[in-house]
Amino acid sequence: MQAATVSTSSAPLNELPPWCATLQEAKARKGLSFEQIAKELGRNEIWVASVFLAQAKPTPADIEALEKVLGLESNALAAQAGSHWWPERGIGPAVPTDPLLYRLYEGVLVYGHPIKAVIHEKFGDGIMSMIDCKVDVQRKADPKGDRVVLTFDGKFLPYVPW
Amino acid sequence: MQAATVSTSSAPLNELPPWCATLQEAKARKGLSFEQIAKELGRNEIWVASVFLAQAKPTPADIEALEKVLGLESNALAAQAGSHWWPERGIGPAVPTDPLLYRLYEGVLVYGHPIKAVIHEKFGDGIMSMIDCKVDVQRKADPKGDRVVLTFDGKFLPYVPW
Amino acid sequence: MQAATVSTSSAPLNELPPWCATLQEAKARKGLSFEQIAKELGRNEIWVASVFLAQAKPTPADIEALEKVLGLESNALAAQAGSHWWPERGIGPAVPTDPLLYRLYEGVLVYGHPIKAVIHEKFGDGIMSMIDCKVDVQRKADPKGDRVVLTFDGKFLPYVPW
Amino acid sequence: MQAATVSTSSAPLNELPPWCATLQEAKARKGLSFEQIAKELGRNEIWVASVFLAQAKPTPADIEALEKVLGLESNALAAQAGSHWWPERGIGPAVPTDPLLYRLYEGVLVYGHPIKAVIHEKFGDGIMSMIDCKVDVQRKADPKGDRVVLTFDGKFLPYVPW
Amino acid sequence: MQAATVSTSSAPLNELPPWCATLQEAKARKGLSFEQIAKELGRNEIWVASVFLAQAKPTPADIEALEKVLGLESNALAAQAGSHWWPERGIGPAVPTDPLLYRLYEGVLVYGHPIKAVIHEKFGDGIMSMIDCKVDVQRKADPKGDRVVLTFDGKFLPYVPW
Amino acid sequence: MQAATVSTSSAPLNELPPWCATLQEAKARKGLSFEQIAKELGRNEIWVASVFLAQAKPTPADIEALEKVLGLESNALAAQAGSHWWPERGIGPAVPTDPLLYRLYEGVLVYGHPIKAVIHEKFGDGIMSMIDCKVDVQRKADPKGDRVVLTFDGKFLPYVPW
Amino acid sequence: MQAATVSTSSAPLNELPPWCATLQEAKARKGLSFEQIAKELGRNEIWVASVFLAQAKPTPADIEALEKVLGLESNALAAQAGSHWWPERGIGPAVPTDPLLYRLYEGVLVYGHPIKAVIHEKFGDGIMSMIDCKVDVQRKADPKGDRVVLTFDGKFLPYVPW
Amino acid sequence: MQAATVSTSSAPLNELPPWCATLQEAKARKGLSFEQIAKELGRNEIWVASVFLAQAKPTPADIEALEKVLGLESNALAAQAGSHWWPERGIGPAVPTDPLLYRLYEGVLVYGHPIKAVIHEKFGDGIMSMIDCKVDVQRKADPKGDRVVLTFDGKFLPYVPW
Amino acid sequence: MQAATVSTSSAPLNELPPWCATLQEAKARKGLSFEQIAKELGRNEIWVASVFLAQAKPTPADIEALEKVLGLESNALAAQAGSHWWPERGIGPAVPTDPLLYRLYEGVLVYGHPIKAVIHEKFGDGIMSMIDCKVDVQRKADPKGDRVVLTFDGKFLPYVPW
Amino acid sequence: MQAATVSTSSAPLNELPPWCATLQEAKARKGLSFEQIAKELGRNEIWVASVFLAQAKPTPADIEALEKVLGLESNALAAQAGSHWWPERGIGPAVPTDPLLYRLYEGVLVYGHPIKAVIHEKFGDGIMSMIDCKVDVQRKADPKGDRVVLTFDGKFLPYVPW
């Protein structure tokens, strides 16, 4: 068990409910990765990280599994993030300052309109759903430097005149 | 040849150089898709759409090929977007209003921190490059409704203490 | 009685008076829905949820009924949200980040001007009141997926020259 | 035929393509209402007004019908808003200044969180789609002053863990 | 008849329809005051100035009277600001920079909450309508320096639970 | 004596000094109105409400009278808001979200330029002072619904070339 | 007579009426300084520069003198900036980007509160008028580098309870 | 010794280090003015007020003198604002809301460009330093009302090509 | 002589005076680099690029040399950017969107406070001048990829108490 | 050992984790400079200051060395800023208010586009990395006043079409 404390006085935890820090501390003390926890829950690790950051709502089974894998007391998480809790999604400033987050934002600024143009041509008038969407991150080995492969797999939703 | 005019008085063309509208009108009159043009150039269609929106710099060979496939006069594009022209990247408002673009932005707001958490664990302290990054859009058939598969394939860049 | 704690450190409770969390905790522990509480008070559930979020002012009778149905001590709510308390309406950032809230905002961005154009034609120069306005949410069954029917029923207020 | 000119130098037409003013002038000269045009097209009048404001994409049949009912030359609209044109949705400032539009925005600021709370209870974690959504405005007679009944009828989209 | 030209390249005319400058030029050339024009129309001069700034909708009779008193050609105003035109209200930046306008804004910043507190006590939960509201400016002689008496006379609109 | 607590965790008290909540609680417990307190002090009730919200500086006599009428200990207010304290005026966000406050702001957005135009004509180049200005709210009975009469009576200050 | 053209496509002239560029061109061609023009008008040069930037209203005598000293046709300025024209004061972005302007703004950010504290002590509760205020710039010789002496000489306006 | 407490929950103290309130309380209890303290330190009172607001860095001698004149324990200030402390300059919102501060800001908005124009003519291309700058406030008696004379005496810094 | 046109409809030229595009077109047609032009003028190439972007004021000798090396008519630049013209410095949005520019901004966001901490320790309380500052860009060969060496060499300006 | 306390209530520490204040207090008490600490760690002092401000991630060896040189208990820092902690980079407001920081920002506003123009010419289309970038500050003696030499040495990253 490693010593690990997680401060709630700085971003992003300063705008999240307190159980987020609890989860992160437990994870750090157990020395677990999101990948390991995700396997225990049968989920993708991005989704699990979203729960840790209050950006996804865990099912009762997820909550029970999290309490178990993280060694929390029974009901410790359920009492706070149970059926009465709903995510208030969207964290951080409107324009991210953290370089990793900013690069994703830059992807929207620079490639957003080209992506829109191509989606229009491939699908017609509509959008890629960010609700019915699976997000995934993979590490791809590359001799010139390994690469991050970030995928959004979202349902196309057409605009229909009425 | 189809009748097609492209107005430069509304977003995003109102903030772009005039040759962007020229390219779009020529493409519309020829009835070509980005996919078809991309094949002619040997490029990905997102990259081609980025050129059409002044978000990527075409090589002299790209310019020549574009002039040809779009039926423009020789040098018509080179004189405007040639070696003396450089992209001023990033278009549209800081928070997009168009729903398709906003969904991408929402992906950053909601899943940005989870993506950051997972990249940290998989790669360490650093970022996914948005410069050495290939963006791709595919249509995936699905009986419940076809899906957009949007991929960012970017080099991991580590922070190195100095 | 279910274990339930409600944190005031994250949105929207971090900008509301403390009795809002008290109400939400009591409701969660009692396992009551807004619909059930609304029936007890003889009110619409949206209005009741507005009281829970300090966006509407309850009458003394509403307060008494709330204290009763939620099992609060007598006067516990009256002392805080009684006749001396007035709502400070409007919560959250100017542009919502939560996807559910953002979609409502998007409705204003995309359909606001069309709604204005049609109201002008149907009623003349004026507005739909958001003060004398009843808001309602219904669930409509649909084989392709149930639908939310959100209705604003507001008095038309004409501009009158003077 | 009434004399009618529509200026493109003020909001919202100053940020729209020029054919929007053409449509509005033709409509004014013909003395037609959105309701009448909607009947010709077999559409809801809010959707028709959305086309007039470049917020919806008309089908080829819609375009042909619009050219006809408005007395435009054949292909006059198709050449500008035809298959090569895609809406750039979302107009006006982030916080509307026009009182009619602001009231809709105020509805989101004041009742947005209560609506979210009730949708969560009635449907679970998810959103009301603003893509698969029908917007409607009706005039309801009322002896104390007629009322605007504004309805958003949108598909519920659940968040699904992955 | 005085020589007078009115530029549309600076605030606030740069965001208004062109007939606003036409009205102002005609008024200046005729050497008329808002007070004189208001008497001809049987209106308050603030309302008349609101029409000159596209912030109020004149009736057909107002338009005819304006064309006459300003010496405009018949229908010159009607063709532009007639029944097909609707005000897009709210001009200038969110925080005014002009000192006269800023002082009004400062009145809201400094005395807004006190005004709210007193209205609540005198009327209960509700607002002063800015739609059913008469605005008036008078000059009050005062030996220490004349005073502006600015009055908003607006209907109280109560919030009613539903 | 009524039970009454005033929370400092929400707007506008969260940005004010703590004695503002003390004054409001004392006033609520005594069941006094601003009008009654104003009579005791020989002041207008808007000015008194401004003191309660830290937007005006009370004289030593005002402070003594307030301590007395509210039943505070001698010097309790003087020690906090006495001669060493100066108001930091202007509260709330740049664009108000509370509907009552927003309507006042809307008055500036919509009628600000017309008011400016009329003041220019009646007084010449200058402003209405918001420092030497008396603000007043009256209730005017009206069979169609009582009206709020809000008056700003401010000294005209001319610009003088130098 | 020097060749001199003044572009209106960049700040600050792009937000000013066109006669501002006319004045600046005439001044440049005549090779006059603000100091020289100010002497002709019997004004301070800052005030004269304010007229050139549409931030002050010239009297008819000022206008006549300006037309003369700048060699403009009679009435050329009067027709545009005469009795029917009123300044719309306040130019540039809310936070200046030009370093000279920014330093003035920085003076407010850094020394604004100290200035407020000292004015309170020397004068009591009130402000320094920016309407009844003379602004002056002098060059003070200094062996370590000449200094700018910028003075605001403004009337103190006390807050008076009412 | 007067009773005086200074709250740190409102602007500007809520964004300053805690010793700022300590200094202000000590000053109030001692009944000292900035002018008196400045004499003890041999400094200008604006500079002293800047130290009280954490906008200037006191020397060790200043700190010792402040501890003495304010009756603080030896080292009480040094331990907090000593050699290890550096000012983080610039307080309050980007656009001030307090009327006294706003007037200074308005001076920049309205007279900033005229000041720039005159400095350019008197000195050439460059700025007035806000680092090597002495700020001073004097009270000037005037029968029409005393005046504030605010002076910025700053070194001119020329731009030099390289 | 190469064909080259430079559009003024997109950033940053859309906010600059028209002679900036003239200079850029002439430079492109001549096939000159900033380095070559800088050598002709005896200046650093960053300073020359600053003149091309209206961010630095050229001397009469610089103007003459520019007219010559770029093949412009005599006085063509002097008439526009001569002694009567002054830079309005600072271009682009407050937060840059172009990735190259954003990285510089990110340098301030991430390393700004560390740079401040080290400058304080090395120099005491003060700043690095951005007026008396030489900016330089060099290409440094590196087997892992060449590097940009960007240097700001600015005079330290100490704060001096007064 | 010097007495030194570091407040966390003001910028930038109010947005950082609590161990940042711990490090700064320990450093002040020990009387160490960043330069001295950097030597102990074998790092550049800017990088060390970045760790003190939570803008860089220390390695386990760095943490151990820091605990030692600062006299912290073993593991005191590791438990908080160890392997489970990741920087959330980017601090302070979008536009800095502190003059030292603002000057860096001004460098981007004024010289950003010229730097971009020269990098394009020297390297082609791409950016200077702010990830693979070494930042350095040196003091350069100069008889006219010592100078700050601030260097960014970052890898050039080219855009490559795909």
Side-chain angles (χ1 to χ4, degrees), chain I residues 27 121 139-140 147 153, chain J residues 27 121 140 147 153:
Chain I
K27 169 177 174 293
E121 282 202 354
R139 178 170 189 146
K140 186 169 77 171
R147 300 180 74 83
D153 173 341
Chain J
K27 168 176 175 294
E121 281 202 355
K140 185 169 79 171
R147 299 180 74 84
D153 173 342

Side-chain angles (χ1 to χ4, degrees), chain C residues 19 47 50-58 85 87 89, chain D residues 111, chain E residues 125 162:
Chain C
W19 51 263
W47 185 84
S50 300
V51 171
F52 271 66
L53 288 151
Q55 301 300 296
K57 184 172 172 54
W85 176 80
R89 288 177 172 94
Chain D
Y111 297 116
Chain E
D125 189 24
W162 71 94

Side-chain angles (χ1 to χ4, degrees), chain A residues 70-146:
Chain A
L70 293 170
L72 302 175
E73 283 184 45
S74 176
N75 259 334
L77 183 57
Q80 295 188 91
S83 61
H84 68 294
W85 175 82
W86 304 94
E88 184 85 6
R89 287 176 173 96
I91 46 177
V95 176
T97 65
D98 183 80
L100 190 151
L101 296 172
Y102 185 82
R103 295 308 178 276
L104 303 177
Y105 174 76
E106 188 175 295
V108 180
L109 275 192
V110 174
Y111 297 114
H113 274 90
I115 290 167
K116 176 173 146 113
V118 169
I119 289 179
H120 281 333
E121 282 202 355
K122 280 191 178 327
F123 293 84
D125 188 23
I127 66 158
M128 175 176 74
S129 179
M130 195 47 64
I131 307 300
D132 183 344
C133 186
K134 295 172 186 168
V135 187
D136 183 64
V137 166
Q138 296 296 334
R139 179 171 189 145
K140 186 169 77 170
D142 189 304
K144 293 184 198 151
D146 286 4

